[in-house]
């Protein structure tokens, strides 16, 4: 068993935005072409504790050298008050020859980067008639910061960022961190979500909301909303938007905004296409200039596998990680005397 901790994962993925986006793009294409297996994620919830959850995302990615495994990720929003990260995760990769687990990787960094790469890829793919020069980030946590880093990698004209969080102190701290990292970016904190929604034609929602709380009424026509956290927008706003998803079967469940919209409408006709279909078509996508476009990615486990495999391969070439040769039992260990 190869074990790779957070520091080693960071060493591989830091400053590797182009490689990560390429891996995510490849995973979307393989999924679109039917070369993946993707059971529904398993949500472990707790009696009398609706905020916390742990999710299992099993997946298979049918590349030339196929990959199978699972991400096990917890979301405990109360951790932020303890000065801990909200999410923690582990990824297990299995051998496709024997089925035996062969790598264990710290998964929260992988999860955050694949989420950010997915959002950035959508922003670059679901293009506008004019270059994107600004973005509004609603939700000032780890994911929001990673998304901004990846947006800067794919949108060279990005020059301004507006941030908003229900916790104003958190928003100001986030803005200060952005200014320190990217002094060339004009960074401002908005006083309300509506102000942030109106500030730019590129919006990212990355909150811990459990139920819809925003409409797209304040958005400019032609806006692209990266609906990363999936439960921010009212179903009515979803039904009036041009909707792009990663996988309709996955995103229309677990009380996401799209699931609620499906229940309200009685069908999924409001979903126009998937990001994989757009990429596979190989033709420029121009979003509607008179409506809001919403990209709602459920977060496919195949993306986690694509990045975990990238990390494993790169780590092995660099001699990183800890080998545990006796992690699994040998035939002698299991022999009956």
């Amino acid at each position: 068993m190869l074990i790779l901790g957070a520091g080693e994962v960071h060493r591989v993925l830091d400053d590797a935005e182009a490689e990560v986006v390429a891996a995510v793009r490849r995973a979307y294409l393989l999924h679109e072409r039917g070369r993946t297996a993707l059971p529904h994620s398993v949500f472990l919830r707790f009696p009398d504790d609706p905020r916390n959850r742990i999710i299992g995302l099993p997946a298979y990615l049918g590349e030339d050298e196929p990959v199978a495994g699972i991400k096990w990720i917890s979301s405990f929003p109360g951790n932020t008050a303890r000065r801990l990260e909200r999410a923690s995760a582990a990824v297990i990769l299995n051998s496709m020859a024997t089925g035996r687990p062969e790598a264990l990787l710290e998964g929260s960094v992988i999860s955050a980067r694949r989420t950010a790469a997915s959002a950035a890829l959508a922003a670059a793919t679901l293009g506008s008639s004019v270059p994107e020069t600004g973005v509004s980030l609603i939700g000032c946590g780890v994911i929001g910061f990673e998304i901004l880093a990846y947006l800067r990698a794919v949108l060279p004209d990005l020059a301004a960022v507006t941030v908003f969080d229900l916790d104003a102190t958190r928003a100001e701290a986030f803005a200060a961190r952005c200014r320190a990292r990217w002094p060339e970016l004009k960074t401002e904190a908005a006083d309300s979500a509506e102000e942030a929604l109106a500030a730019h034609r590129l919006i990212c929602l990355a909150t811990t909301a459990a139920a819809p709380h925003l409409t797209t009424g304040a958005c400019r026509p032609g806006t692209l909303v990266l609906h990363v956290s999936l439960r921010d927008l009212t179903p009515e706003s979803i039904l009036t938007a041009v909707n792009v998803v990663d996988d309709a079967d996955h995103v229309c469940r677990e009380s996401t905004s799209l699931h609620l919209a499906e229940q309200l409408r009685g069908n999924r006709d409001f979903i126009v296409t998937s990001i994989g279909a757009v990429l596979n078509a190989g033709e420029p996508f121009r979003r509607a200039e008179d409506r809001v476009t919403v990209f709602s990615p459920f977060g496919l486990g195949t993306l986690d596998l694509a990045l975990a495999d990238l990390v494993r391969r790169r780590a092995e070439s660099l001699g990183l990680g800890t080998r545990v040769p006796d992690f699994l039992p040998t035939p002698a260990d299991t022999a009956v005397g």
Side-chain angles (χ1 to χ4, degrees):
M1 174 73 77
L2 174 65
I3 299 177
L4 295 165
E8 292 153 328
V9 174
H10 268 291
R11 183 171 168 183
V12 172
L13 293 182
D14 286 355
D15 301 316
E17 286 87 355
E19 290 177 275
V20 172
V21 171
V24 166
R25 184 180 191 278
R26 188 170 63 252
Y28 276 140
L29 285 171
L30 288 170
H31 185 61
E32 176 66 19
R33 295 167 184 172
R35 294 180 58 187
T36 64
L38 199 64
H40 279 310
S41 305
V42 176
F43 283 71
L44 177 61
R45 303 185 188 276
F46 311 103
D48 305 318
D49 187 8
R51 293 190 71 200
N52 297 328
R53 65 191 185 198
I54 306 176
I55 310 173
L57 291 85
Y60 164 81
L61 192 61
E63 301 196 76
D64 293 338
E65 297 183 30
V67 187
I70 187 169
K71 180 177 73 172
W72 183 241
I73 182 166
S74 68
S75 175
F76 278 54
N79 279 353
T80 55
R82 303 183 181 96
R83 297 187 177 181
L84 297 172
E85 299 294 352
R86 174 189 60 84
S88 58
V91 178
I92 297 174
L93 298 179
N94 293 75
S95 165
M96 286 303 300
T98 67
R100 291 159 70 88
E102 55 186 12
L104 172 65
L105 302 87
E106 194 285 324
S108 68
V109 176
I110 289 170
S111 188
R113 300 291 170 90
R114 68 85 148 133
T115 301
S118 169
L121 180 64
T125 303
L126 307 176
S128 171
S129 59
V130 295
E132 305 292 0
T133 59
V135 60
S136 292
L137 304 175
I138 297 179
C140 295
V142 171
I143 298 298
F145 195 81
E146 293 288 358
I147 287 173
L148 181 56
Y150 275 78
L151 287 173
R152 291 191 74 256
V154 302
L155 300 176
D157 295 308
L158 200 67
V161 57
T162 300
V163 305
F164 175 75
D165 195 281
L166 291 176
D167 184 336
T169 301
R170 182 178 172 90
E172 288 294 347
F174 186 92
R177 186 182 175 197
C178 292
R179 294 186 192 106
R181 174 78 176 272
W182 302 292
E184 70 279 9
L185 276 181
K186 180 183 178 182
T187 306
E188 299 177 332
D191 293 326
S192 67
E194 288 70 26
E195 180 184 342
L197 289 169
H200 305 288
R201 296 210 321 165
L202 179 60
I203 311 293
C204 177
L205 304 178
T207 77
T208 58
H213 61 108
L214 291 175
T215 75
T216 55
C219 294
R220 307 180 196 178
T223 291
L224 171 62
V225 179
L226 305 172
H227 189 205
V228 174
S229 37
L230 292 179
R231 294 172 178 83
D232 296 281
L233 295 177
T234 64
E236 291 80 8
S237 290
I238 293 292
L239 291 174
T240 61
V242 177
N243 290 283
V244 182
V245 300
D246 54 2
D247 184 292
D249 286 338
H250 285 263
V251 81
C252 290
R253 60 191 298 260
E254 294 293 333
S255 298
T256 65
S257 296
L258 279 81
H259 187 196
L260 298 178
E262 179 187 27
Q263 292 174 331
L264 189 63
R265 172 68 67 84
N267 58 55
R268 298 177 182 175
D269 292 348
F270 56 89
I271 297 176
V272 172
T273 189
S274 70
I275 188 68
V278 173
L279 292 169
N280 195 57
E283 299 176 358
F285 180 100
R286 286 289 175 260
R287 61 184 189 254
E289 293 297 328
D290 59 344
R291 297 172 66 188
V292 172
T293 298
V294 177
F295 174 59
S296 299
F298 189 77
L300 306 181
T302 46
L303 308 187
D304 298 291
L305 289 195
L307 261 63
D309 191 48
L310 172 66
V311 171
R312 174 179 58 175
R313 293 177 186 279
R314 184 62 55 81
E316 288 177 330
S317 70
L318 295 172
L320 301 177
T322 301
R323 292 280 181 183
V324 183
D326 57 352
F327 182 85
L328 295 170
T330 66
D333 295 327
T334 56
V336 178

